[in-house]
Amino acid sequence: MAHGYEMLESPAVPSAGRTEHREPAITRQNVTPRAMDADEPWMRGLHADTGYLLYRLGLRSGQLFNTFLQESGLRLRHYAVLRFLATSEGALQRELSARLGYDPSAIVGLVDDLEKQGFAERRPAPDDRRSRIVVLTESGRAFLRDTDEAGQRVTGELVGPLDAAERESLHALLLKIAADGLN
Amino acid sequence: MAHGYEMLESPAVPSAGRTEHREPAITRQNVTPRAMDADEPWMRGLHADTGYLLYRLGLRSGQLFNTFLQESGLRLRHYAVLRFLATSEGALQRELSARLGYDPSAIVGLVDDLEKQGFAERRPAPDDRRSRIVVLTESGRAFLRDTDEAGQRVTGELVGPLDAAERESLHALLLKIAADGLN
DNA sequence: CAACAACTATTGACGTCAACAATTATTGCT
DNA sequence: AGCAATAATTGTTGACGTCAATAGTTGTTG
């Protein structure tokens, strides 16, 4: 404990109302506006929860990434597929689904979009005619090359206030907790 | 069935000098299913991106929290509002919106739900009849007290593979990058 | 070898959720 | 008094996850 998280939450409303106000309106008794014995553990700020922080920053990260990709007509999920294909030299859609955690039905649309943009291609699997193998096209590779730097800038912006050592430390920690759940 | 995991490569690319890459000069029918000159920076695994890891873990965190809250009929966002109210002794909806990062229109529904459950109440603001002040009810406080332990268990489950020192370190790092964007 | 179970990609329906625009009531300014 | 700004609210739209159903294909098994 003993973190300086209080900085994130401001003390309610200053309410510098100068005007003399009227009737107190509601006077039900089930609400107690009194400042109850503070410092109870259950009333700590939101940012005291690592889980909530992760949730929050995850949203921000996704937003940043999406606005960065927006000009290319893709979204984060497409980018994830591309990046996955870049390391795997072709994958069954079923694999994409399992590894990236998206529903099989979602993969369909994603690969459709990537094919429309010419970044990926569906090929018939030689041994199983049910399956399709998705591979990067040359222009897909080019896209990854060209946007790589900008993508890293986005991440850089996200972890802005951290120095190099801290970034590495954070990355290692995240990797550690990402490793157990297959993700 | 399990393919080799590519994710556990060395953490965080030091991102040394950007070595210039050569063009394979493939002008034919794109796509080379062959293992191309690997180790190019742009084809590192997805988990090499801190931003993507954050996005991914944020999703997981949200899911865990939601399944934990599911029995009480609330979701993460409701819980966030409650926790915020617990620290601020009443807040304008506008403040909730600004502090929690939710759209004003979202606050409406959230407070509606909380009122239905009897955990919060809308009160007319004394100085401005446009505003409503949202306060915790007594049973709202009770709810927070009762669910606090379980909530911390959820976070504990999330950061499972980390020891105490690492958890604290992670929390501090997240806090640091959460601080800049108001969030 | 013929019937059946399992599997891959796909489509469709439904509910949730977040981001925007528009509306109503109210306030502050001049 | 008039007018821009503001707080809460409604409505709409698009993205997204889940789940059920289907067509084509494979493997198994009786």
Side-chain angles (χ1 to χ4, degrees), chain A residues 39-106:
Chain A
D39 294 332
E40 292 279 4
W42 55 269
M43 61 175 294
R44 70 201 123 75
L46 271 173
H47 297 284
D49 255 308
T50 306
Y52 186 76
L53 276 177
L54 268 178
Y55 164 74
R56 212 30 117 87
L57 293 173
L59 282 186
R60 212 159 88 190
S61 179
Q63 287 172 356
L64 280 179
F65 251 102
N66 274 329
T67 60
F68 144 64
L69 287 171
Q70 158 178 348
E71 60 187 15
S72 49
L74 298 178
R75 269 162 265 131
L76 184 53
R77 333 177 112 231
H78 301 98
Y79 195 66
V81 172
L82 284 181
R83 290 283 293 270
F84 183 84
L85 291 177
T87 64
S88 72
E89 286 301 327
L92 304 176
Q93 298 189 190
R94 194 195 166 295
E95 290 178 304
L96 291 176
S97 167
R99 296 298 284 286
L100 298 176
Y102 301 140
D103 193 89
S105 59

Side-chain angles (χ1 to χ4, degrees), chain A residues 10 44 56 95 100 148, chain B residues 3 44 56 99-100 148:
Chain A
S10 81
R44 70 201 123 75
R56 212 30 117 87
E95 290 178 304
L100 298 176
D148 183 64
Chain B
H3 282 21
R44 70 201 121 80
R56 220 20 124 90
R99 303 314 256 152
L100 298 175
D148 183 64

Side-chain angles (χ1 to χ4, degrees), chain B residues 8-86:
Chain B
L8 283 187
E9 55 204 355
S10 67
V13 257
S15 163
R18 175 165 289 307
T19 59
E20 64 109 4
H21 65 285
R22 64 198 171 88
E23 196 64 54
I26 291 185
T27 42
R28 68 173 56 235
Q29 196 60 313
N30 46 28
V31 181
T32 15
R34 197 164 20 77
M36 43 179 315
D37 328 276
D39 295 332
E40 291 281 6
W42 55 270
M43 62 176 296
R44 70 201 121 80
L46 272 174
H47 298 283
D49 254 308
T50 304
Y52 187 75
L53 275 179
L54 267 178
Y55 166 72
R56 220 20 124 90
L57 293 173
L59 284 185
R60 215 160 86 192
S61 179
Q63 287 171 357
L64 281 179
F65 252 102
N66 274 329
T67 59
F68 143 64
L69 287 171
Q70 163 175 349
E71 59 187 16
S72 51
L74 297 178
R75 300 195 203 126
L76 183 52
R77 321 179 114 230
H78 301 100
Y79 194 66
V81 172
L82 284 181
R83 290 283 293 270
F84 182 84
L85 290 178

